[in-house]
Amino acid sequence: MEIVYVYVKKRSEFGKQCNFTDRQAELNIDIPPNPELAELYVERNPVDTGIQCSTSMSEHEANTERIEMETRGVNHIEGGWPKDVNPQELEQTIRFRKKVEKDENYINAITQLGLIMEHCIKQNNAIDIYQEYFDDEDTVEVTEEAPSAKTINVFRDPQEIKRSATHLSWHPDGSRKLAVAYSCLNFQRAPKGMSNDSYIWDLENPNRPEIVLKPSSPVITLEYNPKDSHVLLGGCYNGQIACWDTRKGSQVAELSTVEFSHRDPVYGTIWLQSKTGTECFSASTDGQVMWWDIRKLSEPTEVVIMDITRKEQIENALGAISLEFEATLPTKFMVGTEQGIVVSCNRKAKTSAEKIVCTFSGHHGPIYALQRNPFYPKNFLTVGDWTARIWSEESRESSIMWTKYHMAYLTDGAWSPVRPAVFFTTKMDGTLDVWDFVFKQCDPALSLKVCDEALFCLRVQDNGCFIACGSQLGTTTLLEVSSGLCTLQRNEKNTASSIFERETRREKILEARHREMRLKEKGKSEVKDDELREEETAVDLDELVSKAEEEFFDIIFSELKKKEAEAMKKSKLQQPSLKPEEETEGEEETEVQYQLEGLDEVEEEGSPEETPA
């Protein structure tokens, strides 16, 4: 007997998702206790049982067959035409198609194939294999979790004389290793017997470093080569550039010559995105940025002097202390200086003076960190003095966003590689601040006290989950942030972009307003200068008139005196027989006359209205 069951459901009803509904509980079976069953058992007292504190683990193995995959391509070329038909001629092909369509075999084949095609189309319309069952449900926002961070590991400097951890670099493959540069930045205050070694740590073994790097001078900056994880680049305290190959051991593989190296400590080194993977550049407080090829470190391939006056004088150069290079902008690079100025440069400029494009000034001290936003490269972060600032290349006069002025000095900062609105800063009081300006702009979203001494450097892993912080005593702390800080939020890119654009527009409006005010003040100052000049010219005219009057009256009085003297001589010649007593009396009378005339002259000078025209 054949068992047959007819399905009454439609084909489209099979495989649908489950729809759950709320309903009251129902009692299906109720089994009351039976006291008679207790007589079949004997109570065991006392009972000995073993207890295992650790969880019991089980191991299962599954062996699956490996499937070899093979890729094949299909190239379809129009064909099947008879020899007497040219497929390039439209008239011949139309004539042949009409001839074939009239053939009975063609009509029968089309009707048979049409049924199969109809069945396939109906089947596709009945079931949507790409249907998302639960796409209507709202996704849970990750930001509901409070931001937090926890310490994963601590790597301490194994040397007895402690040094500062000045720079960190993650291993490019898997980030399971961390290179730490150790040095003492106090000028001529390094204690005797201080080691120059730097280390590469394995994240799972904090007890001892995996590799020891032995430079000739303390290393300030250390960078992994992104194309070759065995090669590291270091900038030394004496200005030299060192290169290590971990396959060859702890000693330096390549070292630049002292004559062609920097004159001050090298504070920044960055690998360039090149075909060979051997090009890099460095910056120092001697005011020079140098390009190198590690295959030939005897001398730099190019040198740019950070003289913003564009005179290329090393005496006027600004000391470089931080570098920024974005692979998507291969010709541009940025330099943070000791004077608080960011210098934007173009490497491919024709002349050395044109390589310095523009400057951004806003910090009161050295710029210790400079980094472009990984999602929006035209916006970049600077850390210096007591603030962290976000800039836009379109607004050069001032930053578009900045943090409040902290009580402690800021030492380093970096963007999150996975979230465009999150960045991290370290301070001299040992605090790590996590900023999320979409969530909060005035205060950090998370402030964590990492250690008691000052934090000098930080570096974020590529996945954004782990942060390494180096301290003044050489302690490197590895932190793991919560999932909300390392997971891209919904619409975060659009929100961050709108915030950047809004703040850039605001700064542009303010800059235009300031320019107008400066022009008005300049116009007012020019008007005041003109008025002062007019007053000075008026004063000068009065002085000239008075001087001319004095000279005029002096000439007149001198002429009058001459005439009187001549008259006196004539009178003396006419009266020669006068007695001496009379002569003396006459002289006295003339003196009295002269005195009276002098008084008249004073009165005339005091009253200019009575002066003769």
Side-chain angles (χ1 to χ4, degrees), residues 284-288 306 317-322 335-339:
S284 171
T285 49
D286 63 353
Q288 297 182 99
M306 291 292 105
L318 304 179
I321 205 167
S322 57
V335 182
T337 62
E338 286 183 306
Q339 290 75 14

Side-chain angles (χ1 to χ4, degrees), residues 287-318:
Q288 297 182 99
V289 176
M290 296 183 177
W291 277 263
W292 307 85
D293 192 328
I294 61 172
R295 295 173 297 182
K296 185 184 177 184
L297 278 178
S298 57
E299 59 181 352
T301 57
E302 189 179 350
V303 178
V304 175
I305 298 174
M306 291 292 105
D307 183 6
I308 58 176
T309 60
R310 296 179 173 84
K311 295 180 181 178
E312 299 182 30
Q313 295 180 357
I314 192 68
E315 296 82 8
N316 301 331
L318 304 179

Side-chain angles (χ1 to χ4, degrees), residues 432-465:
L432 170 70
D433 288 337
V434 183
W435 295 82
D436 184 355
F437 57 78
V438 171
F439 171 66
K440 191 190 295 184
Q441 294 186 5
C442 299
D443 297 307
L446 174 65
S447 187
L448 187 67
K449 182 75 172 178
V450 178
C451 56
D452 295 330
E453 65 267 15
L455 292 176
F456 271 14
C457 57
L458 73 89
R459 203 66 179 266
V460 188
Q461 200 183 25
D462 290 338
N463 60 9
C465 296

Side-chain angles (χ1 to χ4, degrees), residues 115-126:
L115 295 174
I116 300 172
M117 180 61 70
E118 186 181 1
H119 172 71
C120 294
I121 291 172
K122 287 181 178 180
Q123 191 175 17
N124 288 339
N125 292 334

Side-chain angles (χ1 to χ4, degrees), residues 46-75:
V47 180
D48 296 331
T49 58
I51 297 174
Q52 180 67 22
C53 295
S54 61
T55 57
S56 57
M57 307 291 288
S58 62
E59 183 178 355
H60 297 278
E61 293 182 358
N63 188 14
T64 57
E65 294 182 2
R66 295 177 66 98
I67 300 174
E68 295 183 0
M69 306 294 290
E70 186 176 354
T71 304
R72 292 182 180 180
V74 177
N75 187 17

Side-chain angles (χ1 to χ4, degrees), residues 149-201:
K150 59 181 179 180
T151 303
I152 301 297
N153 234 329
V154 178
F155 308 94
R156 304 184 186 279
D157 184 7
Q159 299 293 330
E160 293 182 1
I161 301 175
K162 301 301 179 184
R163 306 156 296 164
S164 302
T166 54
H167 199 268
L168 307 169
S169 180
W170 287 97
H171 193 278
D173 299 333
S175 298
R176 301 308 303 170
K177 297 178 184 178
L178 183 67
V180 185
Y182 297 89
S183 62
C184 178
L185 297 180
N186 296 326
F187 181 64
Q188 293 184 347
R189 293 183 183 176
K192 292 183 179 179
M194 188 187 76
S195 174
N196 296 338
D197 296 348
S198 292
Y199 306 109
I200 298 175
W201 296 88

Side-chain angles (χ1 to χ4, degrees), residues 223-235 240-248 252-257 269-272 274 276-282 290-301:
E223 287 287 350
Y224 267 108
N225 188 339
K227 288 193 174 182
D228 188 355
S229 59
H230 298 285
V231 179
L232 292 98
L233 180 71
Q240 288 181 292
I241 302 297
C243 184
W244 284 270
D245 190 338
T246 55
R247 293 166 293 191
K248 297 180 180 179
V252 177
E254 299 289 340
L255 186 67
S256 64
T257 56
T269 54
I270 291 182
W271 289 96
L272 293 173
S274 60
T276 59
T278 58
E279 296 180 12
C280 57
F281 69 113
S282 60
M290 296 183 177
W291 277 263
W292 307 85
D293 192 328
I294 61 172
R295 295 173 297 182
K296 185 184 177 184
L297 278 178
S298 57
E299 59 181 352
T301 57

